[in-house]
Amino acid sequence: DTAVSQTPKYLVTQMGNDKSIKCEQNLGHDTMYWYKQDSKKFLKIMFSYNNKELIINETVPNRFSPKSPDKAHLNLHINSLELGDSAVYFCASSTRLETYEQYFGPGTRLTVT
Amino acid sequence: AQKITQTQPGMFVQEKEAVTLDCTYDTSDQSYGLFWYKQPSSGEMIFLIYQGSYDEQNATEGRYSLNFQKARKSANLVISASQLGDSAMYFCAMRDNTGGFKTIFGAGTRLFVKA
């Protein structure tokens, strides 16, 4: 009965590889987000989607491509991984775009070697 | 541009005492929201409390209260009767309530509760 789930929880890969992180929410929410938390714990919005429509793209390199096949899923695909992509990536969702409370997934720790 | 500042990288508090975590913000928007999230060592982000810019009363949620001083642009979190389980990172965040509803986070304050 997990509300917001992410897979995988840990991801270790080499530079130059392409990888995906999946996110699913079973809360019936309209809006989903991706955040990146760096090694200093700084948390920054990357993308937000509302009803499968991209709302925020926060100057993220185009190696990062989110995909929302339906309202319950927002996946993050990363091409040509770089060392600086190492971080914890959080998916979140909210009832609607205007709703203030966001429910976060457990995070995916990505390590690029 | 919007900005959130948390000036306390780390704080210590004795169990059962109250503690205030500071947060100041900067925005030119009239309608915005202020939040606090807790991140325990396990890593998940937990929503604690919300204050809207037009809310006249300070928000409270159990042992958490948000001391909102609009003129000073501060939104401090007060935790009363600290418990050992309150040891965690605490993030202040702000969201514009128009347009893209983008949320930005402060750098966080690590709270240590001593027994």
Side-chain angles (χ1 to χ4, degrees):
Chain A
D1 58 346
T2 305
V4 183
S5 59
Q6 295 179 227
T7 54
K9 190 167 174 62
Y10 300 95
L11 184 54
V12 181
T13 189
Q14 292 184 327
M15 285 174 56
N17 285 349
D18 304 337
K19 290 294 178 186
S20 292
I21 306 171
K22 295 186 177 181
C23 178
E24 177 181 2
Q25 53 94 3
N26 62 5
L27 298 166
H29 287 174
D30 286 350
T31 309
M32 296 185 72
Y33 312 82
W34 277 109
Y35 288 89
K36 177 181 179 180
Q37 187 174 41
D38 63 24
S39 58
K40 295 184 179 178
K41 297 292 188 181
F42 186 66
L43 195 66
K44 188 172 182 202
I45 182 78
M46 299 174 69
F47 301 102
S48 73
Y49 269 73
N50 188 55
N51 283 316
K52 302 194 300 173
E53 179 185 348
L54 179 66
I55 302 298
I56 292 174
N57 180 344
E58 195 57 20
T59 60
V60 178
N62 57 15
R63 297 182 297 105
F64 290 79
S65 54
K67 286 199 170 43
S68 182
D70 54 57
K71 280 193 339 181
H73 296 85
L74 181 62
N75 304 324
L76 184 65
H77 188 75
I78 315 170
N79 288 327
S80 303
L81 278 155
E82 301 177 357
L83 292 176
D85 297 333
S86 295
V88 179
Y89 292 84
F90 284 99
C91 177
S93 73
S94 62
T95 311
R96 296 182 308 276
L97 188 61
E98 311 83 45
T99 309
Y100 56 80
E101 183 170 357
Q102 295 181 21
Y103 295 78
F104 280 75
T108 295
R109 182 174 293 278
L110 171 65
T111 304
V112 183
T113 62
Chain B
Q2 293 184 326
K3 188 178 178 182
I4 288 277
T5 303
Q6 293 180 254
T7 57
Q8 306 153 313
M11 288 278 289
F12 286 88
V13 64
Q14 196 69 37
E15 193 179 9
K16 299 180 186 176
E17 291 185 351
V19 63
T20 298
L21 306 184
D22 294 342
C23 174
T24 58
Y25 62 92
D26 193 16
T27 182
S28 55
D29 293 330
Q30 296 300 309
S31 179
Y32 52 90
L34 297 154
F35 311 72
W36 281 89
Y37 281 85
K38 173 183 178 181
Q39 187 176 41
S41 58
S42 51
E44 72 269 31
M45 293 287 290
I46 303 167
F47 168 81
L48 294 179
I49 197 165
Y50 169 84
Q51 178 88 40
S53 58
Y54 292 118
D55 296 341
E56 294 187 352
Q57 290 199 321
N58 287 342
T60 59
E61 289 286 349
R63 294 186 299 111
Y64 304 108
S65 59
L66 198 152
N67 185 358
F68 181 45
Q69 298 190 37
K70 194 170 183 177
R72 297 178 62 182
K73 293 191 174 179
S74 74
N76 298 340
L77 178 70
V78 180
I79 305 175
S80 62
S82 296
Q83 300 172 356
L84 295 178
D86 294 335
S87 293
M89 281 286 285
Y90 288 82
F91 292 95
C92 180
M94 176 172 65
R95 186 191 74 172
D96 69 87
N97 282 350
T98 56
F101 296 91
K102 185 176 87 171
T103 302
I104 62 169
F105 286 80
T109 296
R110 186 169 292 280
L111 178 66
F112 299 92
V113 180
K114 299 182 291 184

